């Protein structure tokens, strides 16, 4: 029977992904690797009051995902990670060490418009603008109105194409 090793976390990055060898690099075979750290907040009840506690986790992101996310992995950005736990063990000067980290299979950027400095644009990069009709009822040129698709001023033509 196979055991289960799966982790899902939502947290905030504790630092910017830098260009140094420890945080972002390529392996000798050309695969990208990004090492990030996330803070995950948790509230728990201690007696009659709620206590907030923060846990910090090291996450490794591999391949195209690491390359594509590199410009967006900035301090404070909220991300969701789905992956698995990996334990590294080593010995130094006769003393044994161990470290548990997360290897990401899937990473999603979270957060609203105010994060990431996208100047008020929506996620798709298009900011809708209101374009009032002129007094004659015509739509101004270069409008993103549906009426331009139908070749008239009526956005609901009688001949529906379905």
């Amino acid at each position: 029977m196979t055991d289960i090793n799966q982790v899902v976390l939502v947290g905030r990055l504790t630092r910017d992904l830098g260009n140094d060898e420890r945080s972002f690099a390529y392996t000798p075979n050309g695969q990208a690797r990004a090492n990030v750290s996330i803070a995950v907040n948790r509230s728990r009840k201690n007696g009659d009051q709620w206590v907030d506690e923060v846990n910090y986790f090291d996450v490794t992101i591999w391949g195209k995902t690491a390359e594509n996310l590199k410009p967006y992995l900035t301090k404070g950005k909220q991300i969701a990670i789905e992956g698995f736990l990996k334990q590294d063990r080593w010995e130094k000067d006769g003393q044994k060490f161990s470290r548990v980290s997360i290897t990401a299979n899937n990473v999603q950027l979270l957060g609203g418009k105010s994060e990431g400095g996208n100047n008020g644009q929506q996620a798709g990069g298009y900011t809708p603008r209101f374009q009032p009709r002129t007094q004659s009822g015509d739509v101004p040129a270069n409008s993103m109105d549906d009426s331009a698709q139908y070749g008239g001023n009526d956005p609901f033509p009688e001949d529906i194409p379905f």
Side-chain angles (χ1 to χ4, degrees), residues 12-18 20 22-24 34-39 56-59 70 72-77 79 99:
R12 297 192 179 271
L13 294 168
T14 61
R15 63 183 180 272
D16 289 346
L17 181 65
D20 62 313
R22 292 188 68 176
S23 63
F24 187 86
N35 288 328
V36 296
S37 177
I38 64 170
Y56 298 94
F57 299 98
D58 294 324
V59 179
K70 185 179 179 186
Y72 305 104
L73 297 177
T74 57
K75 182 177 181 178
K77 181 68 179 169
I79 63 172
R99 183 182 88 124

Side-chain angles (χ1 to χ4, degrees), residues 47-148:
D48 291 341
Q49 57 186 338
W50 286 93
V51 178
D52 290 332
E53 66 180 33
V54 180
N55 292 291
Y56 298 94
F57 299 98
D58 294 324
V59 179
T60 303
I61 306 167
W62 290 97
K64 287 288 186 191
T65 304
E67 286 179 326
N68 293 335
L69 290 177
K70 185 179 179 186
Y72 305 104
L73 297 177
T74 57
K75 182 177 181 178
K77 181 68 179 169
Q78 188 178 37
I79 63 172
I81 305 268
E82 183 271 321
F84 60 92
L85 295 174
K86 182 178 183 299
Q87 183 179 28
D88 295 319
R89 296 179 188 179
W90 68 96
E91 191 172 321
K92 181 177 180 182
D93 300 329
Q95 190 173 5
K96 294 182 179 181
F97 294 92
S98 175
R99 183 182 88 124
V100 175
S101 63
I102 298 165
T103 300
N105 290 329
N106 188 12
V107 179
Q108 293 183 8
L109 300 175
L110 303 175
K113 291 188 284 186
S114 63
E115 292 183 9
N118 57 1
N119 298 326
Q121 289 186 342
Q122 291 182 342
Y126 167 69
T127 304
R129 283 185 230 125
F130 173 71
Q131 302 234 349
R133 295 184 184 268
T134 62
Q135 287 183 351
S136 66
D138 294 334
V139 178
N142 299 329
S143 172
M144 296 293 285
D145 197 331
D146 288 340
S147 63

Side-chain angles (χ1 to χ4, degrees), residues 146-162:
D146 288 340
S147 63
Q149 294 178 11
Y150 301 109
N153 290 334
D154 186 5
F156 302 105
E158 291 184 29
D159 294 326
I160 299 176
F162 55 88

